Amino acid sequence: MAGNDWVNSYLEAILDVGPNLDDAKSSLLLRERGHFSPTRYFVEEVITGYDETDLYRSWVRAAATRSPQERNTRLENMCWRIWNLARKKKQLEGEEAQRMAKRRLERERGRREATADMSEDLSEGEKGDTLGEIAHGDSTKGRLPRISSVDVMENLVNQLKDQKLYIVLIRHELYFLISNKQPSCSLHGLIRGENMELGRDSDTGGQVKYVVELARALGTMPGVYRVDLLTRQVSAPDVEWTYGEPTEMLNPRNSENSAHELGESGGAYIIRIPFGPKDKYIAKELLWPHIPEFVDRAINHIMQMSRVLGEQIGGGQPVWPIAIHGHYADAGDSAALLSGALNVPMLFTGHSLGRDKLEQLLKQGRQSREEINKTYKIMRRIEAEELSLDASEIVITSTRQEIEEQWRLYDGFDPILERKLRARIKRGVSCHGRFMPRTIVMPPGMEFNHIVPHDHEDVDAEVERHEDNPATPNPPIWSEIMRFFSNPRKPMILALARPDPKKNITTLVKAFGECRPLRELANLTLIMGNRENIDEMSGTNASELLSILKLIDKYDLYGQVAYPKHHKQSDVPDIYRLAAKTKGVFINPAFIEPFGLTLIEAAAYGLPIVATKNGGPVDIHRVLDNGLLVDPHDQRAIADALRKLVSDKQLWARCRQNGLKNIHLFSWPEHCKTYLSRIASCKQRQPQWQISDAEYDNLQPDSPSDSLRDIQDLSLNLKLSLDGEKNEGSGIVDNSLDAEESDSDGKNRLEKAFLTLSKGILGGSQKSVSTEKEDYGTGTNKFAAFRRRKYIFVIAVDCDTTSECIEIIEKVIEAAGKDRDTGSIGFILSTSLTISDIHSLLISGGLSPSDFDAFICNSGCDLYYPSSNTEDSPSGLPFVVDLDYRSHTEYRWGGEGLRKTLVRWATSINDKNGEGIVSDDESGSTTHCYAFQVKDPSLIPPVKELRKLMRIQALRCHVIYCQNGTKLNVIPVLASRAQALRYLYIRWGMDLSSVVAFMGECGDTDYEGLVGGVHKTVILKGVGSGSRRLHANRNYPLEDVISLDSPNVVESESCNSIDIRTSLGKLGVLKE
């Protein structure tokens, strides 16, 4: 409360009301006129209080009221409003305390159960487990030593010089980075390589600059051939045209680093992918329904680029990304789907985390959890971050604080359990299918080669030098800033941050305004983004800026504070130089700073720093030792620290020299060396098929009607090898950074690992383990049919009964009409049923398996094709399984450890509600799908609770309630019906834009994954509505992630062939 400007005048007004008529009988809860003490109420209740803009505005109106009676009435009403807010805050705090207590108990229970499971075989396990018993990523074979030696790092760089890696990064508005390739992705914020509009809004800040500079720096590293930064293409009247350019090359900052030949397609690029609304820039909270479309289009770009790079550097074989790196929650969600679809390792950087933001908002007490979620879509963001934990090999953070205080809030990350798993991996002991991503502290880098810190000559000398040599005028931004000052030669206190309450600029202005000695010693410069009109700014930023301007006026700081309206990104170095020229200080007073990139930038230009003691600045100060840390809530401490640095010239010079001496530790080359070494620790797993694209590109069908059902079975050679340690000459190394070896032996192993890794990536096609039983009979020629189809109808309706399912299949086939007979339309059945259930379903409806091109079974766990030869099929049914797809999706499958945990969960449900509520469905289970029958769906917890339980125990899987809640399927974490369609595109070239998915109004709990993307969707009205109760207790509403107003989504009036054909006509698929 003490932080509000209006408190003092508020107190004075309350005291003016006079003493209470009867203090003994006054009540703070039951008000009667004449028996209410605002003074006592303020002291007892309000002082715990609030920083409410509405209340401040109310007080302004009250203070301006001349009538004493009306004024007192307004003050009284304000007291009651504050009391209501205080009561609401206490209520929310109580609810959150209960929720956190429950969460602690759940985590402790999950940790105990996981530890108990893993301790069963401890005595035997310490002797060493067989390879097959160790969870994915747990093998000790081929493991790299811990990378801790400078010599090893330098040796790594030398080994990479002759390699050509591809990386992808993603950041939404969306970024993706690709280097040899490695993709990186980022989806929100406005992104371009030059003149970034930092501070334009809350989505365009330092994170945007970091990702762009990371892509640029990686593109100059020896051994990295190409880096793609994927983001959203924005062509809107309210943003510059450059954001609509499909491709932008990121020119190297330092030509020396780019001396190696880039090649025809080499270098770093921003790739802007169109998705979502095409004509406007939207906030990140509104991007969720459009992420499937981004993923589909990103896959298309990566596939095309992989082929291009294959022709240039891969000997004709596709060059796949070595890793995909997602930045921020929405990009992490996209990167997880891309990682699963492409079978490529994923890295993740959260930057700012949803659970931490939720905690901070709840502590303010202004909004309930439901209100926060409605505003920020915070629960969808948190689920995206949980999925990123499920899918990531490595989670990169800027500070240790982010790991210890923020990531530990997530179900999918437990530091204690993570250490136990890491210890077991080191000893070669089975983790029973449990996995935690490795968390790495890796501060962002900077390019320092172009920075030449001047000797600290004063401003007078600089002015005289320019007067003698007018050919080198001062940078324009200098005069733009100095025009504010009555004495521009005083040292400059520089703050560079957008006007956001969490940046705490108001406290800085108060500290400056209330400390006369500091005002006499220094000027204050506030670089707060760019603005044209305050009224056109976002509400929060506008309110904060107005508060700052009012404080400047209150303390009469005119002539002592600069706050220019505009600056370019290219002006920022000149601003730092100006502050250093004046022997000034840089300050970051944020309440919490995740990292603090501006502190490193300031140090590079020779500026001592004053920074918040909360978050990343602690780690930066520990390395640089170039300033002072302060409590951001203590304005006196802020003023004292600034005054000390400005007045003590010896201290200022020592801090300056310390910063310049140690700043190289934060350089981009150092950052990229560490970054690439961490990628090397990931188990490489690219899609590497025995049959190349060129082979089936050249396959010519006999006629347009050839399809999977028309061609006799030949041989389906779908062998994808992911176990590099089993493949002779594969070049794939299952490695980790945890084995302890000698430096000399470690160097040799590291060199060998990178040589073989690069050979494997560039080779594209590798030797595969050949077993007779895997050669199921299906012709390679068959799969060219996917490319020849004009449209693929995917029947993904989740029906309650067999008869309803048969009826819908028949109606959809009937709606296709004569186009089906010509072979221009193919059919895929996508369902939660097993392949044997599908066979029974088809037989009961008089349908043949050859009527379909493929069958997606077990909620997307398995993929089958029709076959006329049943002799080679283990099941004896006329289907052949795609073994490549199984290998493609088995990543982090928990196996027997997962099954035991699920059985224990089912037992607990039965003990609580009665025997037989949940039972193991052995006939419905497969190697990669554990199925359970549910007798009464109302007696089992919602799917979100089971997902949370699995994550708490470090079991990574995809939990799906299906068949109206009567069945539970648990499949690999990156398997789904939507991912199966993406696999068919990647493997067989099935055009996703030619896919038409038929769905009900609702369906299984994986329903949201099937709506959206580049494919078209027909929603059959009145079908699947009974499944709505499965979605009734979600973390976030289904509407937050489904865009029913998309032009690719049409609702059929009813489930008959005529209305279905009409809907297809609206989509432009068939003539109405």
Side-chain angles (χ1 to χ4, degrees):
M1 198 65 179
N4 291 332
D5 297 334
W6 49 278
V7 170
N8 290 334
S9 56
Y10 184 28
L11 278 168
E12 292 172 1
I14 289 178
L15 293 174
D16 288 344
V17 173
N20 194 344
L21 297 178
D22 188 359
D23 286 338
K25 297 181 179 180
S26 64
S27 171
L28 299 181
L29 302 180
L30 299 176
R31 176 173 61 91
E32 296 180 5
R33 280 198 182 276
H35 295 274
F36 174 73
S37 171
T39 306
R40 180 180 172 188
Y41 179 80
F42 185 90
V43 172
E44 294 185 0
E45 297 286 343
V46 179
I47 203 67
T48 60
Y50 268 80
D51 183 13
E52 281 289 324
T53 304
D54 288 344
L55 292 177
Y56 168 74
R57 290 172 180 167
S58 297
W59 167 240
V60 170
R61 288 193 295 269
T65 304
R66 295 186 176 182
S67 169
Q69 182 177 358
E70 183 180 353
R71 184 182 181 206
N72 291 343
T73 301
R74 284 178 178 268
L75 290 173
E76 187 176 341
N77 290 336
M78 279 189 66
C79 286
W80 282 103
R81 289 179 63 192
I82 294 175
W83 175 78
N84 269 328
L85 289 170
R87 183 177 61 175
K88 180 180 178 182
K89 180 178 181 180
K90 290 179 181 178
Q91 179 182 353
L92 293 174
E93 287 175 345
E95 292 174 355
E96 193 59 25
Q98 293 178 359
R99 189 178 289 108
M100 292 302 295
K102 179 182 178 183
R103 176 182 173 79
R104 282 193 296 271
L105 291 174
E106 290 174 340
R107 171 159 287 189
E108 290 172 3
R109 187 186 308 114
R111 190 184 299 149
R112 285 196 303 269
E113 291 179 357
T115 303
D117 285 348
M118 293 188 293
S119 64
E120 291 177 358
D121 63 345
L122 187 59
S123 58
E124 297 180 3
E126 287 178 332
K127 300 176 183 178
D129 289 349
T130 62
L131 182 63
E133 293 173 333
I134 297 179
H136 180 89
D138 290 356
S139 173
T140 58
K141 292 189 177 182
R143 185 171 293 155
L144 292 179
R146 183 182 300 277
I147 298 178
S148 57
S149 166
V150 174
D151 293 335
V152 173
M153 295 292 294
E154 291 297 330
N155 207 31
L156 163 62
V157 174
N158 293 332
Q159 291 297 327
L160 283 174
K161 286 182 178 178
D162 298 328
Q163 313 309 318
K164 296 181 179 180
L165 303 177
Y166 174 35
I167 302 174
V168 176
L169 307 176
I170 309 177
R171 173 74 166 81
H172 287 8
E173 217 49 273
L174 205 66
Y175 290 109
F176 240 111
L177 172 63
I178 302 178
S179 165
N180 165 1
K181 279 182 170 180
Q182 178 188 349
S184 169
C185 178
S186 176
L187 300 182
H188 67 260
L190 290 168
I191 298 168
R192 61 185 179 190
E194 305 296 336
N195 295 323
M196 286 175 275
E197 297 183 271
L198 303 184
R200 173 191 173 104
D201 53 37
S202 60
D203 293 337
T204 309
Q207 300 169 9
V208 168
K209 182 179 180 182
Y210 162 70
V211 181
V212 171
E213 295 303 325
L214 172 61
R216 195 194 308 272
L218 282 172
T220 64
M221 291 297 290
V224 176
Y225 186 77
R226 182 178 174 99
V227 177
D228 284 351
L229 175 56
L230 307 187
T231 187
R232 180 176 173 237
Q233 185 183 45
V234 182
S235 300
D238 54 339
V239 299
E240 290 193 22
W241 63 270
T242 52
Y243 299 113
E245 289 294 294
T247 303
E248 178 184 349
M249 186 172 186
L250 296 173
N251 296 316
R253 297 292 189 198
N254 180 19
S255 58
E256 295 179 4
N257 287 351
S258 58
H260 66 286
E261 187 175 345
L262 291 178
E264 185 177 350
S265 299
Y269 297 84
I270 295 175
I271 305 297
R272 297 185 180 92
I273 294 178
F275 72 100
K278 295 179 175 58
D279 58 348
K280 62 180 180 180
Y281 169 58
I282 61 176
K284 60 182 178 289
E285 290 83 9
L286 304 178
L287 279 175
W288 297 112
H290 309 292
I291 284 181
E293 181 185 357
F294 166 80
V295 173
D296 292 347
R297 297 190 187 279
I299 290 174
N300 182 61
H301 165 77
I302 294 173
M303 290 281 290
Q304 292 181 7
M305 185 52 58
S306 295
R307 292 192 181 100
V308 169
L309 295 181
E311 293 298 323
Q312 295 176 7
I313 62 174
Q317 295 293 336
V319 175
W320 299 100
I322 190 176
I324 294 180
H325 188 173
H327 294 262
Y328 203 82
D330 43 12
D333 190 272
S334 302
L337 295 176
L338 283 165
S339 169
L342 295 167
N343 205 31
V344 170
M346 173 187 168
L347 288 73
F348 181 61
T349 301
H351 294 286
S352 63
L353 300 181
R355 283 201 186 275
D356 182 64
K357 181 172 183 175
L358 177 62
E359 295 290 317
Q360 298 300 324
L361 291 172
L362 287 171
K363 286 179 181 178
Q364 292 177 9
R366 301 176 188 175
Q367 294 176 293
S368 66
R369 180 179 289 258
E370 292 72 22
E371 292 169 335
I372 293 171
N373 188 46
K374 184 176 180 181
T375 303
Y376 298 102
K377 307 295 187 290
I378 199 79
M379 299 311 296
R380 179 62 182 89
R381 173 177 169 181
I382 290 171
E383 177 59 27
E385 290 160 344
E386 292 281 12
L387 178 61
S388 299
L389 286 172
D390 290 339
S392 296
E393 297 274 358
I394 294 174
V395 173
I396 296 175
T397 69
S398 299
T399 65
R400 179 63 53 184
Q401 180 264 354
E402 188 177 343
I403 299 173
E404 296 175 351
E405 298 183 19
Q406 296 183 42
W407 276 118
R408 71 181 306 151
L409 298 173
Y410 286 77
D411 299 328
F413 185 77
D414 182 348
I416 297 175
L417 188 54
E418 191 266 348
R419 286 193 291 270
K420 292 183 178 181
L421 292 173
R422 192 64 55 185
R424 293 178 70 88
I425 293 172
K426 285 183 180 180
R427 297 198 304 268
V429 182
S430 172
C431 293
H432 293 266
R434 289 170 168 84
F435 185 91
M436 285 280 180
R438 184 71 185 270
T439 51
I440 303 296
V441 177
M442 194 184 304
M446 269 197 65
E447 182 59 65
F448 300 124
N449 291 328
H450 66 288
I451 300 175
V452 181
H454 297 279
D455 294 335
H456 39 272
E457 58 186 76
D458 58 27
V459 176
D460 290 332
E462 178 72 7
V463 171
E464 292 174 4
R465 182 167 63 85
H466 280 289
E467 288 176 350
D468 296 337
N469 186 13
T472 56
N474 288 329
I477 191 66
W478 285 19
S479 58
E480 177 65 19
I481 292 173
M482 287 187 167
R483 69 184 178 87
F484 284 89
F485 300 135
S486 56
N487 182 3
R489 291 174 172 78
K490 290 195 295 186
M492 178 193 296
I493 298 169
L494 173 63
L496 199 157
R498 63 182 182 272
D500 188 304
K502 62 186 178 184
K503 296 301 182 181
N504 199 29
I505 301 297
T506 53
T507 302
L508 170 62
V509 176
K510 293 173 189 174
F512 184 78
E514 295 181 9
C515 183
R516 180 178 294 275
L518 182 60
R519 296 202 311 271
E520 294 173 350
L521 284 170
N523 293 321
L524 176 62
T525 297
L526 306 175
I527 306 298
M528 299 178 289
N530 291 283
R531 63 187 183 275
E532 290 292 343
N533 189 326
I534 295 179
D535 293 335
E536 296 175 358
M537 297 173 63
S538 66
T540 302
N541 289 353
S543 177
E544 183 71 4
L545 183 57
L546 285 172
S547 297
I548 293 169
L549 296 177
K550 289 177 180 178
L551 287 172
I552 292 173
D553 184 75
K554 174 182 178 179
Y555 295 113
D556 194 15
L557 299 179
Y558 300 106
Q560 296 175 294
V561 178
Y563 42 96
K565 293 181 66 173
H566 300 286
H567 73 281
K568 299 176 183 178
Q569 182 61 27
S570 58
D571 290 332
V572 173
D574 292 326
I575 296 173
Y576 285 128
R577 288 192 185 98
L578 177 59
K581 284 287 184 185
T582 64
K583 299 182 182 179
V585 177
F586 181 82
I587 181 168
N588 181 337
F591 291 120
I592 297 178
E593 181 57 61
F595 179 65
L597 189 61
T598 52
L599 296 173
I600 298 176
E601 292 177 342
Y605 287 94
L607 274 173
I609 64 169
V610 172
T612 176
K613 67 177 185 179
N614 299 328
V618 176
D619 295 327
I620 294 174
H621 183 264
R622 185 180 297 118
V623 174
L624 297 180
D625 189 23
N626 68 328
L628 302 171
L629 299 178
V630 295
D631 181 353
H633 299 276
D634 189 342
Q635 66 185 55
R636 175 173 289 183
I638 293 174
D640 289 346
L642 290 169
R643 185 160 57 90
K644 185 175 182 180
L645 275 172
V646 171
S647 61
D648 189 337
K649 298 304 179 184
Q650 291 184 345
L651 175 62
W652 186 92
R654 185 167 66 251
C655 288
R656 169 188 167 89
Q657 290 304 318
N658 286 348
L660 293 174
K661 179 178 65 176
N662 299 320
I663 197 65
H664 72 279
L665 298 174
F666 291 98
S667 68
W668 276 120
E670 291 294 324
H671 179 93
C672 290
K673 288 177 186 178
T674 306
Y675 184 93
L676 292 172
S677 70
R678 296 304 183 182
I679 290 178
S681 74
C682 300
K683 181 176 179 179
Q684 292 303 312
R685 45 185 182 91
Q686 285 85 18
Q688 298 173 18
W689 322 106
Q690 191 171 27
I691 296 178
S692 68
D693 289 335
E695 289 178 276
Y696 63 75
D697 274 339
N698 294 329
L699 294 173
Q700 297 297 328
D702 294 333
S703 70
S705 63
D706 288 340
S707 68
L708 296 182
R709 55 181 176 271
D710 295 328
I711 304 175
Q712 295 299 316
D713 302 328
L714 299 176
S715 174
L716 176 60
N717 294 317
L718 309 178
K719 300 183 181 67
L720 170 63
S721 175
L722 300 180
D723 297 323
E725 66 277 0
K726 294 183 180 180
N727 298 346
E728 181 182 354
S730 69
I732 296 181
V733 181
D734 179 14
N735 46 38
S736 172
L737 299 178
D738 296 306
E740 300 290 347
E741 299 183 17
S742 66
D743 283 346
S744 60
D745 187 40
K747 293 178 186 178
N748 294 332
R749 291 175 65 88
L750 186 61
E751 296 171 11
K752 185 177 179 181
F754 265 90
L755 287 173
T756 55
L757 170 63
S758 178
K759 290 177 182 177
I761 294 170
L762 297 179
S765 179
Q766 302 181 15
K767 280 188 179 181
S768 299
V769 179
S770 179
T771 57
E772 293 296 330
K773 62 182 179 180
E774 291 177 348
D775 287 331
Y776 293 113
T778 298
T780 304
N781 286 339
K782 287 184 170 187
F783 302 99
F786 279 119
R787 298 186 174 192
R788 294 195 308 272
R789 300 293 193 198
K790 186 176 181 181
Y791 294 104
I792 300 287
F793 286 5
V794 178
I795 304 173
V797 179
D798 300 319
C799 304
D800 297 336
T801 64
T802 300
S803 59
E804 184 184 19
C805 188
I806 289 292
E807 181 182 358
I808 290 173
I809 293 173
E810 291 174 343
K811 296 299 182 184
V812 172
I813 293 176
E814 182 181 347
K818 62 181 181 180
D819 296 278
R820 169 179 175 265
D821 300 330
T822 62
S824 61
I825 293 180
F827 298 90
I828 294 175
L829 186 59
S830 178
T831 176
S832 63
L833 300 175
T834 64
I835 192 62
S836 59
D837 290 337
I838 287 177
H839 185 249
S840 300
L841 175 72
L842 297 179
I843 296 299
S844 66
L847 298 171
S848 170
S850 62
D851 292 332
F852 297 84
D853 287 341
F855 301 90
I856 301 171
C857 313
N858 300 311
S859 299
C861 171
D862 289 309
L863 182 60
Y864 286 82
Y865 308 103
S867 170
S868 60
N869 186 356
T870 61
E871 295 179 1
D872 294 332
S873 175
S875 64
L877 299 175
F879 306 99
V880 60
V881 66
D882 190 333
L883 295 178
D884 275 346
Y885 180 71
R886 282 189 175 176
S887 298
H888 205 75
T889 58
E890 69 179 356
Y891 176 64
R892 289 192 181 162
W893 179 238
E896 186 62 18
L898 172 61
R899 191 194 67 80
K900 287 182 178 179
T901 303
L902 290 169
V903 170
R904 184 166 56 238
W905 169 81
T907 302
S908 68
I909 297 296
N910 292 333
D911 291 344
K912 181 179 179 180
N913 299 297
E915 194 64 31
I917 298 298
V918 181
S919 58
D920 191 357
D921 183 6
E922 295 184 4
S923 63
S925 299
T926 65
T927 308
H928 293 93
C929 175
Y930 295 142
F932 292 83
Q933 292 291 340
V934 180
K935 186 176 180 180
D936 187 350
S938 65
L939 296 178
I940 62 173
V943 67
K944 66 179 182 181
E945 295 298 328
L946 184 53
R947 285 176 182 166
K948 179 168 74 172
L949 174 63
M950 295 299 105
R951 283 169 172 159
I952 286 175
Q953 296 205 31
L955 292 164
R956 312 298 173 174
C957 57
H958 188 186
V959 179
I960 304 164
Y961 284 1
C962 42
Q963 298 178 22
N964 208 11
T966 60
K967 187 179 180 181
L968 165 66
N969 281 343
V970 181
I971 62 177
V973 65
L974 295 178
S976 70
R977 290 188 283 175
Q979 290 290 81
L981 295 176
R982 294 185 177 111
Y983 168 86
L984 290 173
Y985 163 60
I986 294 168
R987 183 64 186 101
W988 303 117
M990 183 185 76
D991 186 0
L992 289 174
S993 63
S994 70
V995 170
V996 182
F998 294 86
M999 305 175 62
E1001 291 183 344
C1002 201
D1004 299 347
T1005 55
D1006 63 346
Y1007 179 83
E1008 67 186 73
L1010 292 164
V1011 182
V1014 299
H1015 69 264
K1016 300 171 179 62
T1017 303
V1018 176
I1019 296 178
L1020 304 179
K1021 192 173 182 179
V1023 177
S1025 56
S1027 300
R1028 291 189 185 279
R1029 62 189 182 86
L1030 297 179
H1031 300 266
N1033 197 13
R1034 298 169 55 95
N1035 279 328
Y1036 49 89
L1038 199 59
E1039 293 73 21
D1040 286 356
V1041 290
I1042 291 180
S1043 179
L1044 296 179
D1045 58 352
S1046 167
N1048 283 341
V1049 179
V1050 171
E1051 185 177 48
S1052 175
E1053 290 299 324
S1054 65
C1055 188
N1056 62 62
S1057 59
I1058 297 176
D1059 287 334
I1060 291 174
R1061 192 171 181 87
T1062 300
S1063 299
L1064 292 171
K1066 293 178 181 178
L1067 292 171
V1069 175
L1070 299 177
K1071 294 181 180 180
E1072 298 186 43

